[in-house]
């Protein structure tokens, strides 16, 4: 498998994105409302799609810990989950861990809604310590 670079430092409008090719794990955290969601997420999703298509019976772990995202980010996340679902259907073990603050019902509900849209991914919605 190629070790494609999927790495983005966080900004005040975009999340941190890290991909570890050895562990085949992806992490997205922070807030996500870039001015141009397609420009921000497009290269990440394209590279990840190439990686996922090259997998052969691997375990893929995705950690999502967003505290806010806008509609263009939601569309990118949905595209991500559909790609992951395809990879899982192809025989890879894919786990998504969607973290939300225990007192953030909105982010919890988003995670539950995304979980309903995938058939082959193990999608966990996990509360973390409440924000204060």
């Amino acid at each position: 498998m190629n070790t494609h670079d999927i790495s983005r430092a966080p900004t005040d409008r975009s999340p941190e994105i890290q991909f570890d090719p050895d562990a085949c794990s992806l992490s997205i955290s922070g807030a996500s409302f870039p001015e141009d969601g397609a420009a921000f997420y497009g290269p990440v999703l394209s590279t990840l799609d190439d990686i996922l298509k090259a997998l052969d019976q691997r375990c893929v772990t995705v950690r999502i810990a967003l505290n806010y995202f806008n509609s263009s980010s939601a569309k990118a996340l949905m595209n991500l989950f559909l790609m992951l679902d395809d990879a899982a259907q192809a025989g890879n073990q894919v786990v998504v861990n969607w973290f939300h603050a225990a007192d953030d019902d909105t982010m919890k509900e988003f995670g539950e809604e995304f979980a309903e849209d995938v058939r082959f991914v193990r999608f966990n919605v996990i509360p973390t310590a409440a924000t204060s």
Side-chain angles (χ1 to χ4, degrees):
M1 177 172 60
N2 291 336
T3 56
H4 297 286
D5 179 37
I6 301 178
S7 178
R8 302 284 185 276
T11 70
D12 59 339
R13 299 182 63 89
S14 62
E16 177 179 34
I17 299 177
Q18 293 295 324
F19 179 73
D20 178 343
D22 295 326
C24 208
S25 66
L26 175 70
S27 175
I28 302 174
S29 60
S32 182
F33 53 105
E35 286 189 35
D36 186 344
F40 178 79
Y41 282 103
V44 170
L45 293 176
S46 177
T47 301
L48 185 62
D49 190 42
D50 291 342
I51 292 168
L52 292 172
K53 286 178 179 172
L55 290 179
D56 184 27
Q57 305 297 309
R58 292 282 309 267
C59 179
V60 179
T61 305
V62 179
R63 177 186 181 276
I64 308 285
L66 294 171
N67 53 34
Y68 174 80
F69 59 89
N70 64 4
S71 59
S72 68
S73 295
K75 182 176 180 177
L77 288 169
M78 191 65 239
N79 290 335
L80 167 66
F81 297 139
L82 292 175
M83 283 192 311
L84 292 168
D85 209 39
D86 288 345
Q89 186 176 14
N92 298 287
Q93 180 184 350
V94 180
V95 178
V96 172
N97 293 314
W98 178 276
F99 293 93
H100 66 89
D103 62 350
D104 189 342
D105 292 337
T106 300
M107 291 307 284
K108 176 186 178 195
E109 290 169 11
F110 280 128
E112 292 169 346
E113 289 173 14
F114 283 128
E116 291 174 4
D117 292 327
V118 294
R119 294 180 47 210
F120 302 99
V121 170
R122 190 172 82 206
F123 202 111
N124 303 307
V125 179
I126 304 169
T128 60
T131 58
S132 49

